[in-house]
Structure formats: structure tokens, C-alpha cells
Amino acid sequence: MNGTTIAARATPDGVGALAILRLSGPQAHDVASAALGGKPLQPRLATFARVRAEDGSVLDEVVATYFAAPASFTGEDVVEISCHGGILVTERVLERLFACGAVPAEPGEFSRRAFENGKLDLTRAEAIMDIIHAGSDLALRAAQHQLQGAIADRVQVTLDGLIDVAAHVTAYIDFPEEDIPPATVESLGGQLQAAEEQVNALLATAEGGRLLREGVRTVIVGAPNVGKSSLLNMLLGYDRAIVSDRAGTTRDTIEAPLSLGGLCLRLIDTAGLHSSEDSLEQCGMERSRRALAAADLVLEVADVSQPPVPLPPPPPGAHSLLVLNKADLPEHPAWAGKPGIRISCAQGRGREDLGQAIRSLFLRSLGEADTVAAVNTRHRFALQQAAEALRRARAGLFAGESPDLIDIDLHEALDALGSITGRVDTEDILDRVFSTFCLGK
Ligand code: GDP
């Protein structure tokens, strides 16, 4: 248990109808009560009260809710104060809480205390941030699954199996004169293989996890004037890019987030890829090439009323979709029977079809939308370490290596897996996870 009582604004800075200030720690009730002119608070009851300055003058009318330990988010005494959402008024109320004995919270400190008090494992703590930052329905759903323990539970199953294997192996360390009997080698080997498969199955969600958390890097390419900027504007629903019939209008890459087909796309409009003497345009084209090289999805836009213009092939590993724009104009015969999503930015037609096509391209890497829980970069790193150690342990087991060597590999796998949920809590992992949290969380 932490000795200090922390306070911070839990809602974002800025003006709103209400703001929520949060207190957590052993003095949470007394600090809040002092700030409220001595009014006592009952657990789980919202209490209307006035925050008073030292001289008794009213700073604000608020509603305070007290959650007595351990039945609170952090596991400590917590008080949430809803005050009016002005910048100055929240500052005054917060200052009053500090004057009454609270100290300012560090970013992520509420969640860190929740973790330290066993209220959350690390994957659930990370899920809270994923929920806050989710940019699409699928990302939100995956984060909610993670908060319900979808990743932690799977890791725990693997850990339980491995602890069993480690216990057997340890038994043989104590009797060095005995070899591990072949039947035991077989069964332990089978358990290790199952653990490796479970780890690999989680690892396979990493790519989907990146797409959900960071968004699908989507690059719009095509010859000048085919309607790339018009497509960007149509998809976003507002004029983000300049549309002009003068080729080379878009000189820089423009990036904008967009929710389409349940996914978050990071839409990048590129300077038209074409030869130009203009140094500014050439610079823009270099950026386009770089954006293209890192793309997850390339939308190749063509003008369906004109003959096809060859485009460079999409980068390896990226999906591509042919988008035939200007479908309101007569189709050029060269496109007859060619697959491609026909849209008209001028008429605002084809957004749905494009969304569907993108969704079906990525659903495979995202798994089934209803069950997906996708690991993040930190988890992936730990899983790779675990997989590697498991491979070594199994090879050692079948090669008749001494049990204490196998035990070292097993413990490396156990530590790596344990670091995912925070069972093995090294300070640097905790610092890394919680430092990415926002203040008041
Ligand atoms: P970009 O150079 O590829 O970014 O092309 P723009 O978006 O700037 O559009 C080039 C020209 O095509 C502009 O005059 C647009 O008004 C026109 N345009 C874009 N989409 C359509 C469409 O669906 N139908 C028709 N008829 N014209 C379009």
C-alpha cells in the first residue's frame, strides 16, 4: 500500500460541463472531507457538497463519491469529485485538495496503484489505454476483450502448463544420477510443444494488433488528376486536400485518420507520382515513395474515363485495391470487364463498397472480429523470447541435456510470459507501461 494520497484531473484539460477530479490513497476520504468543509462521505453514495477555501468561501458546488478500499479502481480509498468543468474552477478545487494533504499524481499512477494492489494485470491496464485511444470499432472491441482478460487468461494457461513441466524437471535436478525416463521425456516434450503452439498462436495476432492500434497505413496512389485528393476528401467527409484540374497540385503527403469498414485507416494522400522538373514536387514525390514503401494498403486510383496508366507495383506485403474513379463519365473501352471498385467522387458514390472491400482484405489478419484479442509490441517481444526459450528447452530435453540446463531455458520462458501480465514485475517494465498513460488515469 502506498502512503501518499494522490489527486489529479481525470477528464481532459479544457472547458466542459463537468470535470472529474480523482483522489486515491489512505487519506482520500479525509482530504476530500476537509476540502468539503468537514462534510463526511458515505461509501458508494454520491454526496452533494461545496468545496470551500480555507476562509470558508465557496469554490464550487460538486458531487463527491467515495469508494472505500479495497472496492475501488486502485484498491485504495478513492474519492471522485465532479465539479464544474471550467479551467479555473477545476484548478482551484484541485489546489484545495493539495492544500488539504493530497499530492499531484504522476501520469498513469492511478492504474499503477491498481496494478500494485492486484486489481489489474498489465494486459488489462494496457487495455484501458487501448480503449481510450481506440480509433475504430474493431480496435475498441479487441481492447474490451483484452480488458476482460482475453490475453491474460491465455498467457496464464500456458504458464500453468509450463510450471508443471518445470516442477518435473526440477525433481530430476535433485537426483543427478537418474536420467529422465523416455516416457517422461515424451510427455514433457509434448507439453512443451503445446506451450510453444499457444505462444505462436498469440504471436500470430501481433500483426492484427498493430493494424488495430496504429491503424492501417493506407496510401492513395495514381496518375495526376485521376481524383486522389477528391477520394481523400470524399472518404473523410470534408475538404482536407486541394482538388484542382491542374496536375501536380498535391505537393506534399497529407495524412488523416479515418474509420472505415470498422477499421481505422491512416489515410495518406501522396503527391502525384509523375516526372517533374519542379524541385518542390520532386521532394513531395520522394515522400510519396517512402510512404508507399511502408504501406499496409495501396489504393490505386485510376480515371475510368481514360486509358489505363501503368503504376509501379505495390510494395511486398501490402494489399492493393484498384479504385476506378469518375464512374459518372463514360467508361473507356480499355476498362471493360476489368475488376475494380467503381466510384464517383463527384457524385459521392462508392464509399460503402470501398469500405467493404477493405474490411474483407484485412479481416483475415485480424481474425474473427468477435473474438480477436491482439497482442501489442511489448507482448510480442516477450512472446518471441518465450518461444525461443521453449524451443531450446524442448531440444535440450530430447538431446538428453542435464536437467539444470533445461531448467534455465524453462525459467527464461516463464519469466518472459510472466512479464506480459506483470507476474514478474521488473521496475523497468512497469515504468515503460505506465509512463505511456495519461494524467489522471
Ligand atoms: P488528383 O490530382 O489525383 O488528386 O485529382 P483531384 O482530386 O485533384 O481531381 C482532379 C480533377 O478531377 C478535378 O477537376 C476534380 O473535380 C475531378 N474529379 C474528381 N473526381 C471526379 C469524379 O468522380 N467524376 C468527375 N467527372 N470528375 C472528378
Side-chain angles (χ1 to χ4, degrees), residues 21-145:
L21 307 179
R22 232 186 343 188
L23 285 155
S24 179
Q27 302 300 316
H29 174 274
D30 294 352
V31 168
S33 174
L36 298 172
K39 191 160 189 160
L41 301 171
Q42 301 300 318
R44 301 187 165 270
L45 272 186
T47 307
F48 172 78
R50 292 186 178 86
V51 177
R52 292 183 184 276
E54 210 176 346
D55 63 7
S57 60
V58 175
L59 293 175
D60 198 15
E61 292 189 340
V62 304
V63 171
T65 315
Y66 170 39
F67 303 89
S72 71
F73 173 70
T74 58
E76 303 176 327
D77 275 355
V78 167
V79 178
E80 285 183 8
I81 297 176
S82 299
C83 62
H84 290 105
I87 295 169
L88 203 60
V89 67
T90 46
E91 250 176 50
R92 293 290 170 270
V93 175
L94 199 55
E95 280 166 11
R96 187 68 191 127
L97 296 176
F98 295 147
C100 291
V103 295
E106 299 289 328
E109 200 174 352
F110 289 90
S111 302
R112 185 167 183 154
R113 288 184 175 202
F115 167 77
E116 282 166 355
N117 293 326
K119 286 277 172 177
L120 288 172
D121 70 84
L122 282 188
T123 67
R124 285 177 169 90
E126 287 166 320
I128 294 174
M129 288 316 282
D130 287 344
I131 288 172
I132 292 171
H133 293 295
S136 68
D137 291 340
L138 281 179
L140 182 57
R141 214 160 351 161
Q144 294 286 10
H145 278 299

Side-chain angles (χ1 to χ4, degrees), residues 61-391:
E61 292 189 340
V62 304
V63 171
T65 315
Y66 170 39
F67 303 89
S72 71
F73 173 70
T74 58
E76 303 176 327
D77 275 355
V78 167
V79 178
E80 285 183 8
I81 297 176
S82 299
C83 62
H84 290 105
I87 295 169
L88 203 60
V89 67
T90 46
E91 250 176 50
R92 293 290 170 270
V93 175
L94 199 55
E95 280 166 11
R96 187 68 191 127
L97 296 176
F98 295 147
C100 291
V103 295
E106 299 289 328
E109 200 174 352
F110 289 90
S111 302
R112 185 167 183 154
R113 288 184 175 202
F115 167 77
E116 282 166 355
N117 293 326
K119 286 277 172 177
L120 288 172
D121 70 84
L122 282 188
T123 67
R124 285 177 169 90
E126 287 166 320
I128 294 174
M129 288 316 282
D130 287 344
I131 288 172
I132 292 171
H133 293 295
S136 68
D137 291 340
L138 281 179
L140 182 57
R141 214 160 351 161
Q144 294 286 10
H145 278 299
Q146 187 171 325
L147 183 63
Q148 301 313 311
I151 293 177
D153 292 351
R154 283 171 73 173
V155 169
Q156 194 55 49
V157 168
T158 311
L159 273 172
D160 289 344
L162 281 184
I163 289 168
D164 192 44
V165 177
H168 271 87
V169 171
T170 309
Y172 286 96
I173 297 177
D174 296 336
F175 303 99
E177 64 284 358
E178 278 184 45
D179 279 343
I180 305 178
T184 311
V185 166
E186 271 308 314
S187 83
L188 294 182
Q191 278 176 273
L192 286 180
Q193 189 175 354
E196 219 179 301
E197 281 163 11
Q198 288 159 359
V199 167
N200 285 333
L202 266 178
L203 265 176
T205 68
E207 181 59 10
R210 184 183 69 75
L211 294 173
L212 288 177
R213 288 187 182 85
E214 295 174 13
V216 177
R217 285 189 298 255
T218 307
V219 176
I220 302 175
V221 298
N225 258 333
V226 294
K228 299 180 296 298
S229 302
S230 303
L231 175 62
L232 179 90
N233 291 340
M234 179 179 87
L235 291 176
L236 292 175
Y238 62 91
D239 287 351
R240 176 69 177 78
I242 302 166
V243 173
S244 149
D245 53 10
R246 249 189 61 207
T249 307
T250 307
R251 286 157 182 255
D252 200 356
T253 52
I254 293 176
E255 188 172 329
L258 161 76
S259 180
L260 187 71
L263 287 164
C264 177
L265 306 188
R266 277 166 55 199
L267 210 52
I268 304 157
D269 182 27
T270 57
L273 285 165
H274 61 106
S275 58
S276 167
E277 299 298 315
D278 184 325
S279 63
L280 203 64
E281 264 191 78
Q282 281 179 351
C283 183
M285 281 189 281
E286 182 45 40
R287 283 186 180 212
S288 303
R289 281 191 200 97
R290 263 186 276 145
L292 192 59
D296 300 307
L297 171 66
V298 180
L299 297 178
E300 294 177 338
V301 186
D303 181 341
V304 80
S305 70
Q306 300 293 323
V309 178
L311 286 173
H319 292 287
S320 70
L321 275 179
L322 179 61
V323 182
L324 298 172
N325 187 33
K326 309 198 188 183
D328 52 293
L329 299 178
E331 187 163 312
H332 190 277
W335 292 110
K338 288 257 167 69
I341 299 150
R342 282 159 173 79
I343 66 164
S344 166
C345 293
Q347 296 180 337
R349 193 152 53 82
R351 193 180 194 278
E352 281 296 302
D353 291 349
L354 190 57
Q356 273 303 330
I358 293 174
R359 190 187 168 93
S360 42
L361 273 183
F362 283 94
L363 263 194
R364 216 170 313 135
S365 22
L366 292 171
E368 277 307 308
D370 282 332
T371 54
V372 70
V375 299
N376 66 23
T377 314
R378 187 183 72 83
H379 308 151
R380 191 186 64 194
F381 182 72
L383 288 166
Q384 279 166 341
Q385 249 187 326
E388 191 50 44
L390 286 174
R391 257 193 303 277

